[in-house]
Amino acid sequence: MKIVVDDGYGNIKVVFRGENGIEKHIVPALAVAGVYPVVSNSDDDRIQFIRTEGEVFTVGSPHDAEDTRFQHYATSNMNRALVRYAIQRAGVTDDAVFNLGVGLPAGQFFVGGKPNTTAIEAKTAHHKLQVFRVTDKNSLLSVPDHVACFPQSSGVALIHEDPDLDPDDIITVAVVDIGHRTTDVSVTIDGELRVSRSGGMMDHGVAHARNRFKDALEQRFGLNMARMVDRAFSKKNVMISGERFDVSAEWQESVDETAQTIIRAVEALVGGTADIDRILLIGGGALIFGDSIQKAWKQAKLVDDPVFANALSWLSMMDE
């Protein structure tokens, strides 16, 4: 069995081939160090205690969840606990035999124009360590037989075929992967990755727009919107003291401003986009910023299933 996990800072995407075709799952990256007493009216096992390398995490609960944007998150105990938890939540049995595909940001995967073997080996070894679900008796979760590591966003660029472009031309393609908290960029020319024009940027993603949106709502209503902002950002309206207010104008402004920030950052990273024939927008943020970005970049295109684009490309590469 081959399982691919795109372990984003906000959501973890799990993809594998099930009995009825490709299965795709999204599991929020929610974890806090230690055992937190949790009261839940749910009878499922959404909230669990996971132990790895001597450290225990409470996973699956939104309360007091820690920010995953910290140095070396990709090879941290928290990351390993979250990835294995996400696999289990996707319906994979504890004792399943599987190979695992994971990714690293392009800026970490490549150094000096070559694969960063130190980072790649650290990431693969990281997921070979034991993980336990803490119950009355510790339950050892199966360790993958093999771990493959891929550069984020690059897989989409390398396997992309565009019917609107002449295959006989030398085509330059950029993939802009907009996540919850980061944006990764990969550029290929005639199917070969250009590492010098690829990389990642922190604090350029959906969370950035959410924070702008929260500031705008607090200015409008004079209230602390911390508990209401996530629902308001999703629904474009907010309930205050039982009354519903339309906040679509604030939402659009925060999205447009963040899109412009992302555009400027990408332009600086790749050295301009005039020579790029196609810009592929992937990631959950592509669904939010896609319209705004396509107004600035006429060659930009939202791919099919942008949320799972990375994971699906890695699964395809594992099959080769």
Side-chain angles (χ1 to χ4, degrees):
M1 182 181 191
K2 298 171 184 175
I3 302 174
V4 168
V5 178
D6 182 1
D7 52 347
Y9 291 105
N11 290 308
I12 297 175
K13 281 75 69 177
V14 182
V15 172
F16 57 88
R17 285 189 173 83
E19 293 181 358
N20 299 315
I22 293 179
E23 293 191 22
K24 298 176 286 188
H25 302 267
I26 295 178
V27 179
L30 301 172
V32 59
V35 176
Y36 273 56
V38 178
V39 178
S40 174
N41 59 3
S42 174
D43 59 359
D44 65 16
D45 58 353
R46 177 176 60 87
I47 300 172
Q48 298 181 16
F49 306 114
I50 303 293
R51 178 171 64 84
T52 181
E53 292 296 284
E55 193 168 7
V56 177
F57 298 90
T58 303
V59 295
S61 173
H63 304 294
D64 298 315
E66 296 182 25
D67 192 337
T68 54
R69 291 176 299 175
F70 58 85
Q71 191 175 20
H72 306 309
Y73 165 71
T75 53
S76 67
N77 290 338
M78 177 184 287
N79 173 273
R80 189 183 318 109
L82 281 168
V83 166
R84 197 57 186 83
Y85 165 78
I87 292 172
Q88 186 267 332
R89 291 295 298 166
V92 179
T93 59
D94 291 354
D95 59 352
V97 178
F98 66 96
N99 293 332
L100 177 65
V102 293
L104 281 173
Q108 297 179 28
F109 192 95
F110 297 101
V111 172
K114 297 180 180 179
N116 182 354
T117 55
T118 300
I120 295 168
E121 290 173 0
K123 182 65 171 174
T124 55
H126 161 73
H127 288 293
K128 296 284 286 184
L129 297 174
Q130 291 184 332
V131 178
F132 298 84
R133 186 167 60 248
V134 180
T135 55
D136 293 337
K137 294 182 179 179
N138 287 343
S139 175
L140 174 63
L141 305 178
S142 57
V143 175
D145 285 346
H146 174 73
V147 181
C149 185
F150 304 96
Q152 289 177 357
S153 74
S154 303
V156 177
L158 293 172
I159 70 171
H160 176 71
E161 295 181 359
D162 197 322
D164 297 328
L165 299 176
D166 187 345
D168 293 330
D169 287 344
I170 296 177
I171 304 299
T172 301
V173 176
V175 176
V176 179
D177 179 5
I178 309 172
H180 186 68
R181 297 185 174 105
T182 61
T183 292
D184 286 297
V185 184
S186 295
V187 175
T188 61
I189 300 178
D190 201 24
E192 295 185 1
L193 184 67
R194 291 297 185 263
V195 178
S196 61
R197 301 182 73 181
S198 304
M201 298 163 288
M202 294 291 290
D203 298 319
H204 288 77
V206 177
H208 190 67
R210 173 204 176 273
N211 292 339
R212 286 178 181 262
F213 180 66
K214 175 177 175 289
D215 292 342
L217 294 190
E218 290 182 344
Q219 183 176 3
R220 174 178 170 181
F221 297 107
L223 298 170
N224 185 331
M225 303 299 294
R227 296 179 180 177
M228 295 177 274
V229 64
D230 289 329
R231 182 195 177 281
F233 191 79
S234 174
K235 302 294 185 180
K236 302 180 190 178
N237 64 65
V238 63
M239 291 287 290
I240 299 177
S241 300
E243 184 177 357
R244 190 182 305 276
F245 295 89
D246 176 50
V247 293
S248 56
E250 287 85 356
W251 183 91
Q252 191 63 59
E253 183 176 5
S254 69
V255 167
D256 287 342
E257 289 176 350
T258 303
Q260 291 303 314
T261 300
I262 292 171
I263 288 169
R264 288 191 294 270
V266 172
E267 291 275 358
L269 177 64
V270 304
T273 57
D275 68 316
I276 295 177
D277 301 296
R278 178 69 73 205
I279 299 174
L280 303 175
L281 305 177
I282 71 171
L287 295 171
I288 295 173
F289 303 113
D291 288 343
S292 298
I293 290 176
Q294 288 177 93
K295 292 176 183 177
W297 290 333
K298 301 306 180 185
Q299 72 273 52
K301 176 182 179 181
L302 188 69
V303 305
D304 295 334
D305 207 352
V307 173
F308 288 97
N310 263 328
L312 290 170
S313 72
W314 300 341
L315 185 63
S316 176
M317 295 170 75
M318 287 183 74
D319 287 338
E320 294 179 354

